[in-house]
Structure formats: structure tokens, C-alpha cells
Amino acid sequence: MKILVVEDEPKTGNYLKQGLLEAGFVVDLARDGEDGMHCALTEAYDLVILDVMLPGIDGWSVLRGIRKSGKDMPVLFLTARDHVDDRVRGLELGADDYLVKPFAFSELLARVRSLLRRGGKATESEFLRAADLELDLMRRRVNRSGKRIDLTAKEFALLELLLRRQGEVLPRSLIASQVWDMNFDSDTNVIEVAIRRLRAKMDDGFEPKLIRTVRGMGYVLEVTACA
Ligand code: CA
């Protein structure tokens, strides 16, 4: 899941980015409205966190630009405590939710997850499943055969991606951009290492094996009787 944060205050911006990264999201940070608008219109995001008071193009205009372009990803507005009118205006312009600064990160995270569950995919289940493996998107938990499996944030994001695109062979370059937000560098074995760790946790000791390496192509998660 990829999130765009548009925030000009470096401290708040970095704090949001770091927290969301640790929660397993891929995060882009734009430091002003112009940059934010550019990112929002050219990249694909699952959600935008948008500060109202921005230098240059303000949050209102960014939001208007996003909606005008036909993009309907959820937008969470950040507004100052003494500008209550802001939130009315924001909701009128097509924001999905707002949060008054200062806020607790846990509150932000709860709103983000709630918006992602609603966000244009109202019917999306809160669980992803394959055979006896179950990933709980809301509680960020994974079970296999009813046994709890502890994953790091990256492993969780990796498994979520594989489950969402079950049966599809995912090239390393795609995994790198979706989970690590990096361009694929063939010298790095970060994906191989992460896949190995993930398998050790959710495939070793279980049947059937779910993650398969497709030589020269990438990885696929699928339920097959004769893998
Ligand atoms: Ca600001």
C-alpha cells in the first residue's frame, strides 16, 4: 500500500513518513503543494495525507486538482486546531476524513487503515486467504492453520502483495518497487533474503507450500496440490 504525504513542516513530515514506513507502508513525502500535486497526478497512491497550509499551492488546491483529474483515492486532511471551518470546506471539496493537529500517531494510523478499508474498495474483505493461511489486514496479523505467525513490517507487506496477486508471477522489479520503494538493482539480494525468511515462517512445517520461485522470473503465491 502506497501513501503520499504532503507536508511542508520537515519535523512533521519526517515523523509521518517514518511512522508509516514502520507500519509497513510505502511512503512518498512531498514538501510543498506543487510537488504534492505533481506526485498525486503522476503516481498511483492508495491514500494521500494532505496538510492544508502549504507554501505555494495550498491543500485545498491540491485536493481540487486531484479530484478534477478523476482520481478517487481517499484523502486525509491535516488541519490546525483553530481552523474548524477548514474541515467543513475540506469535506465539501472531497476529502474523506480530517485530523486536527497535533494528533497522536496511533490516531492517524487508525484513520489511515479505516480509509484504506473503505477507499473505493468498499467490498474488500479485511482478510486475505490462501489454503489455511490467513492475513488480517486490520489487525496486521497472520495465521496459518490457526497458528500465529510473527512477521516484520516488510515481510507483512511482501506477503500482502503476494496474496493480493495470487497466482501471478511477480517479477523482482515489481516487488522491489511495491514493497521497498526502490528501483530494482540486480546486485542486491534483499528480496531473496526476505522471501527466504518469509517462507521459513509461513511455509516451513506446513503443507501445501504456498510461495514458489519461478526461475529467472520472480515469485508466485498459489495453492497447488502438486508443487
Ligand atoms: Ca503546513
Side-chain angles (χ1 to χ4, degrees):
M1 289 273 173
K2 198 165 178 177
I3 297 180
L4 172 66
V5 176
V6 189
E7 170 61 80
D8 60 308
E9 291 155 79
K11 222 175 131 184
T12 312
N14 294 334
Y15 166 75
L16 285 175
K17 181 169 183 176
Q18 192 54 36
L20 290 166
L21 284 172
E22 282 166 17
F25 296 102
V26 169
V27 185
D28 283 349
L29 176 58
R31 307 258 181 207
D32 61 42
E34 202 175 334
D35 192 19
M37 179 89 93
H38 176 75
C39 293
L41 298 187
T42 54
E43 293 267 325
Y45 295 100
D46 299 292
L47 180 127
V48 179
I49 297 174
L50 186 57
D51 185 31
V52 176
M53 300 300 285
L54 294 166
I57 309 175
D58 66 15
W60 310 123
S61 310
V62 176
L63 176 58
R64 217 176 285 123
I66 291 174
R67 294 302 182 228
K68 212 174 147 190
S69 77
K71 295 206 176 235
D72 64 351
M73 75 286 239
V75 173
L76 173 64
F77 242 45
L78 300 181
T79 163
R81 184 173 292 285
D82 48 352
H83 291 84
V84 179
D85 287 351
D86 282 3
R87 71 168 202 244
V88 178
R89 195 171 159 199
L91 294 172
E92 276 171 8
L93 281 172
D96 298 273
D97 200 358
Y98 68 93
L99 203 53
V100 175
K101 286 179 174 180
F103 49 81
F105 187 76
S106 56
E107 174 64 18
L108 176 103
L109 203 54
R111 301 288 186 94
V112 163
R113 287 188 176 141
S114 154
L115 284 172
L116 286 173
R117 281 200 306 280
R118 280 191 270 150
K121 303 166 205 154
T123 56
E124 189 187 72
S125 160
E126 289 170 3
F127 297 92
L128 298 171
R129 294 187 178 92
D132 55 353
L133 177 77
E134 181 181 82
L135 183 145
D136 182 337
L137 289 164
M138 197 174 146
R139 296 189 185 78
R140 315 295 293 175
R141 278 189 197 165
V142 175
N143 286 289
R144 186 148 188 198
S145 282
K147 204 179 138 202
R148 171 91 176 263
I149 295 170
D150 288 315
L151 299 180
T152 64
K154 284 295 174 208
E155 287 162 357
F156 188 94
L158 178 58
L159 183 59
E160 181 182 344
L161 175 67
L162 286 161
L163 276 165
R164 282 188 188 281
R165 303 187 57 170
Q166 237 174 101
E168 248 181 273
V169 179
L170 304 181
R172 289 177 181 80
S173 55
L174 182 135
I175 295 175
S177 70
Q178 295 280 312
V179 179
W180 278 269
D181 198 22
M182 62 178 193
N183 291 321
F184 182 58
D185 171 1
S186 53
D187 290 340
T188 176
N189 65 346
V190 58
I191 295 168
E192 284 79 354
V193 170
I195 290 274
R196 202 182 310 136
R197 291 207 175 120
L198 181 60
R199 272 176 167 157
K201 291 181 180 179
M202 48 65 69
D203 258 348
D204 287 2
F206 296 99
E207 288 300 334
K209 307 296 178 209
L210 295 172
I211 297 177
R212 198 158 56 82
T213 305
V214 183
R215 200 166 292 278
M217 296 193 58
Y219 300 96
V220 60
L221 186 152
E222 62 187 346
V223 185
T224 49
C226 46

